[in-house]
Amino acid sequence: MNSIQEFLFLLGSVGFILGLKYMGKPDSARKGNLIAAAGMAFAVIGILFFDNKEEGIVVANNIGLILGAIAIGTIIGWLMAKKVKMTSMPEMVSLFNGMGGLCAALISIIEWRSHEGTMEMGHYLPIVAGLIIGTVSFTGSMIAWGKLSGKIGDYRFPGQQFINLFLLVAVLGAAWMNFSAANSGEDSMMWFYAIIGLAIIYGLLFVFPIGGADMPVVISLLNSFTGVAAACGGFLYDNKVMLMGGILVGSAGTILTVVMCKAMNRSLTNVLIGAVGGNNSVASTGGKPGGTVREVQATDVAIMMKYASKVIVVPGYGLAVAQAQHVVHELENMLEEEGVEVKYAIHPVAGRMPGHMNVLLAESNVSYDKLVEMEHINPEFATTDVVLVVGANDVVNPAAKTDPSSPIYGMPILDVENSKQIIVLKRSMKSGYAGIDNDLFYNPKCGMLFGDAKDSLQKLVNELKVV
Amino acid sequence: MEEILNFIGENVIMIYLVILMVFVGIELIGHVPSVLHTPLMSGANAIHGVVLVGAIYVLKNAEADDYISLSVGFLGVIVGTLNVIGGFVVTDRMLEMFKKKPVKGAKS
């Protein structure tokens, strides 16, 4: 044991906990991230320049190779993180998460090779757990990344859940066979390959059937998987900073996953077997809602908003796709100059990730105290003159409250229909992610402004300048 | 059964740490406003990059002629660093935008 190394690891662990704590409040979040990063720096210095077998400074063997790898990783990681557009943040997180999983799996592969032959259960367990979890997290994250960036579609086949369950059992079986074969002196290599192969297939099939709308939940879950895989390394090397950091993320990630599921009123099981309001549930809603849709012109909407005293904007994924965050902020500024009170109603699952809208709007300098969460904004709709729904659909669908047969029944929604006027900016009458029709559009108070969200907002801004 | 007991006996401090950390994680995340969910997920993502420490450990203990361990370890350190640097930088970029703007016409 090296006391300086232990001290650095201790600083690292405290950094992670404090960092995560500060990240929980908007004012201190950025500082929290820096504290966690400092913790990471302490941990890396600890492993690079100290050794647990002797006291004093011991520069690592292969230091050139290590620093070279770190330099390559830093440059690529830095460039990717700096270049990525705000709208593609979710897939970036998924990609980096996959890298962590891959790292854990690679560690396990090397450790298994150097311990080939007899192995104690206490040693084998963290190695094989790190291998399986890391591999699943890696392949799963890659699929999630591909799906979010639109490279891969949903892919389901009947009986998939059973095949997944079977695969899971098969992976564990192979892990057991590998252990007993190694300990009885037989060739265990085959079983080792089988573990890796089965874990890869499981990771793929695990994420394939899950709909794009549920991707954030999956990424959060895979994130906590990688945390556990990192903690396995902590067990393996008796390294407390790896253990604490890993478990911290494992538990925080799991809670985050549960919170997200709750916000969408979905159970985790439902998300995982890919039963999102897909093909089968559409049929159940059936029937066309009555009434006609009222189309409105940008001029009318501009005048309506100019003479309103309070406008609430409901942003959705359409806003992100159209990259309309700057225009909407411009609109907000213009209205405020006219003395109109403008707020944003943020549904917990608007966009593709919880908080997605906040990040996006913050990018265009919308002050975050204007972003109001659902519970706080819902009572305000009654006193609102105009609600502007920008590319959101399911989160304002009254069917969630009124139609028990609807797949989104029970999901908390924004009560936009309580306001005096509703304007929906939409590209077409196409249904939202859940694939169901929205009665709101047939509400007499509701006007539709068709077109790309950015173009429509730009038109509104131009009209406001004129009127 | 005996193996399990042995395992617990040998790793008792680690097991205590695991249990404590589970509760710390739950406490820290349980009451966070949904505004911060995405940055928080990204921040947590960067923190599990601590697996990099394990990759460095493997690489520094690899024998100079064990090319498989050297190259796999090298790759491990690269992807681990990607996770750490990418994770923290992306999180910082997200949080950078959470600055409060002076409200126009506010009291002051």
Side-chain angles (χ1 to χ4, degrees):
Chain A
M1 183 184 281
N2 180 315
S3 36
I4 307 176
Q5 188 186 44
E6 289 293 324
F7 181 63
L8 286 169
F9 285 169
L10 184 66
L11 284 180
S13 310
V14 175
F16 293 159
I17 298 173
L18 272 183
L20 213 53
K21 164 125 188 91
Y22 280 116
M23 266 188 252
K25 291 199 190 70
D27 290 318
S28 58
R30 199 170 178 202
K31 196 169 79 185
N33 187 48
L34 291 179
I35 295 174
M40 188 67 75
F42 284 128
V44 171
I45 292 170
I47 192 74
L48 276 180
F49 299 110
F50 301 91
D51 199 275
N52 56 351
K53 292 181 200 78
E54 42 192 312
E55 281 294 330
I57 297 178
V58 184
V59 176
N61 289 331
N62 306 323
I63 184 83
L65 212 54
I66 297 175
L67 290 180
I70 292 181
I72 296 175
T74 305
I75 294 168
I76 301 177
W78 185 279
L79 287 179
M80 284 169 93
K82 279 285 180 194
K83 288 235 164 103
V84 64
K85 281 200 212 98
M86 269 302 141
T87 35
S88 342
M89 279 308 181
E91 51 253 47
M92 210 67 217
V93 174
S94 184
L95 184 69
F96 289 137
N97 181 47
M99 292 299 114
L102 179 62
C103 184
L106 292 177
I107 293 173
S108 288
I109 291 175
I110 299 177
E111 283 301 321
W112 188 81
R113 276 187 72 247
S114 54
H115 286 88
E116 224 186 326
T118 55
M119 209 187 283
E120 280 171 49
M121 195 59 167
H123 214 82
Y124 178 71
L125 217 55
I127 292 181
V128 79
L131 178 68
I132 296 174
I133 303 172
T135 308
V136 170
S137 180
F138 169 58
T139 52
S141 296
M142 288 303 110
I143 297 298
W145 172 65
K147 281 193 165 207
L148 280 173
S149 49
K151 293 188 183 77
I152 304 171
D154 295 357
Y155 176 69
R156 296 190 185 92
F157 53 85
Q160 192 153 10
Q161 293 111 279
F162 299 104
I163 292 173
N164 279 2
L165 197 66
F166 170 76
L167 276 171
L168 194 62
V169 174
V171 168
L172 297 178
W176 174 253
M177 290 307 292
N178 181 30
F179 179 66
S180 54
N183 274 353
S184 56
E186 290 165 38
D187 181 23
S188 55
M189 210 59 205
M190 184 185 82
W191 293 112
F192 187 69
Y193 289 136
I195 298 175
I196 299 179
L198 287 167
I200 289 175
I201 300 172
Y202 181 73
L204 298 177
L205 292 186
F206 176 69
V207 182
F208 257 133
I210 299 172
D214 285 330
M215 251 336 116
V217 178
V218 176
I219 295 176
S220 176
L221 191 67
L222 292 172
N223 193 21
S224 64
F225 277 10
T226 315
V228 176
C232 288
F235 257 105
L236 194 58
Y237 302 128
D238 204 21
N239 183 319
K240 293 181 189 64
V241 71
M242 283 177 78
L243 184 84
M244 291 175 77
I247 295 291
L248 192 61
V249 175
S251 112
T254 310
I255 290 299
L256 205 54
T257 313
V258 173
V259 172
M260 286 182 196
C261 281
K262 245 189 219 155
M264 293 194 275
N265 195 39
R266 314 253 336 243
S267 76
L268 190 56
T269 346
N270 255 341
V271 170
L272 293 185
I273 58 176
V276 70
N279 338 348
N280 41 3
S281 43
V282 177
S284 71
T285 53
K288 241 181 82 79
T292 47
V293 173
R294 185 163 59 94
E295 198 177 338
V296 289
Q297 297 303 319
T299 327
D300 305 328
V301 180
I303 293 172
M304 197 192 288
M305 287 197 297
K306 185 177 176 180
Y307 296 104
S309 56
K310 188 171 175 188
V311 171
I312 293 181
V313 179
V314 179
Y317 188 60
L319 179 107
V321 172
Q323 297 269 353
Q325 65 271 32
H326 295 286
V327 197
V328 82
H329 180 52
E330 198 184 339
L331 183 73
E332 171 209 324
N333 282 344
M334 294 190 69
L335 288 172
E336 297 235 299
E337 273 165 28
E338 301 283 342
V340 184
E341 185 188 0
V342 182
K343 283 183 179 169
Y344 295 85
I346 309 293
H347 189 277
V349 296
R352 285 292 178 273
M353 282 187 131
H356 193 180
M357 289 300 123
N358 306 78
V359 171
L360 209 62
L361 290 170
E363 188 199 2
S364 60
N365 278 325
V366 174
S367 166
Y368 73 69
D369 44 6
K370 285 198 177 301
L371 310 178
V372 190
E373 287 181 39
M374 183 174 60
E375 309 88 76
H376 299 118
I377 197 93
N378 265 345
E380 290 195 31
F381 281 113
T383 59
T384 303
D385 302 299
V386 181
V387 171
L388 200 62
V389 180
V390 186
N393 191 345
D394 295 332
V395 297
V396 293
N397 192 339
K401 282 192 292 192
T402 54
D403 179 9
S405 70
S406 169
I408 59 166
Y409 181 69
M411 179 173 94
I413 57 159
L414 293 162
D415 300 323
V416 290
E417 72 271 18
N418 292 344
S419 64
K420 297 196 184 80
Q421 286 283 344
I422 307 152
I423 302 298
V424 179
L425 268 54
K426 233 176 151 321
R427 266 180 300 194
S428 64
M429 280 304 287
K430 243 179 84 185
S431 46
Y433 230 84
I436 47 174
D437 218 332
N438 194 338
D439 283 344
L440 180 75
F441 305 153
Y442 305 97
N443 188 317
K445 283 194 286 189
C446 179
M448 309 288 293
L449 185 57
F450 290 113
D452 176 78
K454 193 175 179 179
D455 295 343
S456 298
L457 285 167
Q458 192 61 54
K459 271 186 215 154
L460 288 178
V461 169
N462 296 343
E463 292 294 341
L464 267 178
K465 280 178 192 154
V466 185
V467 295
Chain B
M1 192 61 206
E2 208 186 317
E3 270 186 336
I4 297 173
L5 283 178
N6 280 342
F7 181 75
I8 294 175
E10 282 164 21
N11 295 292
V12 69
I13 297 178
M14 303 296 258
I15 292 168
Y16 272 108
L17 276 180
V18 168
I19 294 168
L20 282 173
M21 275 305 119
V22 168
F23 283 99
V24 170
I26 293 173
E27 273 308 305
L28 288 180
I29 302 301
H31 314 284
V32 163
S34 64
V35 183
L36 284 171
H37 281 171
T38 299
L40 207 64
M41 187 201 286
S42 176
N45 174 45
I47 289 176
H48 70 48
V50 72
V51 69
L52 168 65
V53 171
I56 295 177
Y57 184 90
V58 162
L59 189 51
K60 84 177 198 179
N61 288 307
E63 300 294 333
D65 57 350
D66 181 0
Y67 294 110
I68 297 181
S69 287
L70 283 176
S71 44
V72 176
F74 186 71
L75 185 63
V77 174
I78 292 178
V79 293
T81 315
L82 261 177
N83 186 184
V84 171
I85 301 289
F88 281 120
V89 174
V90 161
T91 313
D92 190 61
R93 272 190 63 193
M94 287 184 193
L95 292 172
E96 189 184 15
M97 301 178 299
F98 275 73
K99 52 193 170 218
K100 212 169 191 163
K101 275 205 320 177
V103 185
K104 266 174 276 171
K107 331 107 208 174
S108 77

